[in-house]
Amino acid sequence: MSKSNKTVTRSARPKPWNDPKVRMVVFQAIAMIVVFWFGWTLFHNTLSNMESRGISTGFGFLDQTSGFGIIMSLIPYDSTMTYGRTFFVGLLNTLLVSAMGVVAATIIGFAVGVARLSSNWLIAKLALVYIETIRNIPLLLQIFFWYFAVLQTLPSPRQSIDVADMFFLSNRGLYFPTAGAEPGFGWVMAALIAGIAAAVFINRWAKKRQIRTGQLFPALRVGTGLVLALPLLVFVLVGRPLVWEMPALTGFNFTGGASILPELAALWIALSLYTASFIAEIVRSGILAVDRGQTEAASALGLKSSFTLRLVVIPQAMRVIIPPLTSQYLNLVKNSSLATAIAYPDLVAVFMGTTLNQTGQAVEVVAITMAVYLTISLIISGLMNIYNRAVALQER
């Protein structure tokens, strides 16, 4: 290359302060330095202030004895156990009500969303009234309504509502029998797993058969029969290997069996109904986003309305429904922290409430609680993104 060409190339290159790539790197480096400086300053000032006030730092408090009881625990717990144990008790209670809420809100939301588009005037208007009423009332008021105005007005345990001497409903909660496994119950579980595997296999086979021949196979009914009938048959053949523990009224409350506390029931109902009202609108908008020609084509092929909705409309609408549905699941989990208003022992009430007040480890407790909610939200987002990619339109 001649000297004149080198001169031209060097002169065509912009100066560093006019080069967009150089400026982008410099600005991002400055932004990172500012963020790290802010974080380090915040961390250093926090430690300095805590040290000046004589507040100890660290996570050693998790090994100390808690000294307080919790009204509901999914794992063995008593007041002689550690604060670390109270953390897991609160976390499991949060996960329980969140999982129950997600399942119930999804079922109710899809049903109401489809009903909102029903050709039946009464059903469509009832769905509209439900949506507009529930979603425009603050969630905290709904929790109070179900707890104080509904569940707390139920009769006392001595006058509880008795169903077949097995289920007892009172202002202390719903009590019902529990089953304990005896030798031989493993065969029933093996039959259940085999039934589920067979149902999945039949469902896949039925889809391939329908694509190949166009003939429908009642895979849902056959699969349901396998999942229910096969374990039941094995259960009878091995001599019914279950022992039942019945709830009994002793003193002022029931003992034995299992129970659903009013606090859990109120929170679950309020979260489910509130979130379902938003999911219903998401489902309605997703169905309306599907081109009407798809429905007309399915009708022209002779499909029933139920098959058209289940096999043609809903699968295409899911591509629109999944992203906003993920946001509703995240909101439900975060809204479960309102449980502290009715003393349901979730993570916020047990760990960030009682534990923080007793130990004074505010920074550590708040940091752990925030990290837990962040982790749960990221896991839900990750799983929903995987499902979203699975149902997304595959372009070639």
Side-chain angles (χ1 to χ4, degrees), residues 40-121:
W40 168 252
T41 303
L42 183 64
F43 177 74
H44 183 264
N45 289 342
T46 302
L47 290 182
S48 300
N49 292 333
M50 293 176 67
E51 185 177 359
S52 63
R53 298 183 182 184
I55 301 175
S56 61
T57 58
F59 297 94
F61 72 95
L62 294 174
D63 296 327
Q64 299 175 5
T65 302
S66 63
F68 66 90
I70 300 176
I71 60 173
M72 174 183 165
S73 173
L74 298 179
I75 56 177
Y77 173 82
D78 58 50
S79 59
T80 63
M81 295 185 177
T82 64
Y83 288 116
R85 191 75 169 184
T86 64
F87 165 75
F88 286 108
V89 171
L91 174 60
L92 291 176
N93 288 343
T94 293
L95 294 177
L96 173 67
V97 73
S98 299
M100 293 169 61
V102 165
V103 173
T106 304
I107 296 174
I108 298 172
F110 269 77
V112 176
V114 173
R116 181 76 177 81
L117 298 173
S118 173
S119 58
N120 186 303
W121 183 87

Side-chain angles (χ1 to χ4, degrees), residues 161-169 174-178 244-248 254 256-258:
I161 301 172
D162 181 358
V163 179
D165 288 333
M166 298 174 65
F167 299 89
F168 302 92
L169 180 63
L174 174 65
Y175 286 79
F176 51 91
T178 56
W244 293 92
E245 182 185 8
M246 306 296 292
F254 288 91

Side-chain angles (χ1 to χ4, degrees), residues 170-238:
S170 68
N171 57 8
R172 300 290 182 87
L174 174 65
Y175 286 79
F176 51 91
T178 56
E182 290 188 329
F185 190 74
W187 291 106
V188 180
M189 295 303 297
L192 176 62
I193 295 173
I196 294 174
V200 172
F201 175 78
I202 290 176
N203 185 52
R204 292 183 175 179
W205 170 81
K207 286 185 177 178
K208 292 180 180 178
R209 178 174 179 266
Q210 182 181 352
I211 294 173
R212 188 176 65 254
T213 65
Q215 297 179 352
L216 294 174
F217 183 81
L220 181 60
R221 280 179 287 177
V222 174
T224 304
L226 281 172
V227 172
L228 296 179
L230 188 59
L232 181 60
L233 178 62
V234 175
F235 177 75
V236 174
L237 291 177
V238 297

Side-chain angles (χ1 to χ4, degrees), residues 125-199:
K125 295 305 177 186
L126 287 176
L128 174 63
V129 170
Y130 164 79
I131 293 171
E132 297 301 333
T133 303
I134 299 296
R135 74 173 180 174
N136 287 306
I137 297 177
L139 176 58
L140 185 59
L141 292 182
Q142 296 190 39
I143 294 174
F144 285 154
F145 169 77
W146 287 106
Y147 184 66
F148 292 110
V150 177
L151 298 180
Q152 288 299 310
T153 58
L154 290 172
S156 64
R158 291 185 181 278
Q159 288 80 35
S160 62
I161 301 172
D162 181 358
V163 179
D165 288 333
M166 298 174 65
F167 299 89
F168 302 92
L169 180 63
S170 68
N171 57 8
R172 300 290 182 87
L174 174 65
Y175 286 79
F176 51 91
T178 56
E182 290 188 329
F185 190 74
W187 291 106
V188 180
M189 295 303 297
L192 176 62
I193 295 173
I196 294 174

Side-chain angles (χ1 to χ4, degrees), residues 273-288:
L273 294 179
Y274 183 75
T275 309
S277 64
F278 292 91
I279 293 178
E281 282 298 89
I282 293 171
V283 171
R284 182 180 72 87
S285 61
I287 292 175
L288 291 177

